[in-house]
Amino acid sequence: MSLNTATVEQLDTLPGVGPVLARHIVDHRAEHGGFRSVGELREVNGIGERRFAELERLVRP
């Protein structure tokens, strides 16, 4: 799933991502002009190392 094009509803389907975290991801994307790497997902409020480890193989920039 692309971090740069996914909707809140699509992101909400990922494991450990609810509607609030999905909104944080979309807001971060809007504020920073998109994701250039999956690693930037760690900058999103609510994404710690464990959650990032679960998501990194499921998403792309």
Side-chain angles (χ1 to χ4, degrees):
M1 176 178 305
S2 172
L3 294 171
N4 287 320
T5 60
T7 64
V8 169
E9 293 79 14
Q10 290 169 324
L11 292 166
D12 187 18
T13 66
L14 292 168
V17 177
V20 172
L21 185 52
R23 172 53 54 197
H24 286 307
I25 294 169
V26 170
D27 290 347
H28 185 277
R29 177 176 75 200
E31 291 171 17
H32 296 91
F35 290 88
R36 291 177 296 283
S37 72
V38 172
E40 290 180 7
L41 192 56
R42 287 185 222 153
E43 299 171 8
V44 175
N45 184 26
I47 304 241
E49 287 303 314
R50 190 172 55 162
R51 184 157 296 142
F52 176 75
E54 294 174 351
L55 295 175
E56 72 176 319
R57 62 181 170 70
L58 301 175
V59 296
R60 63 187 185 281

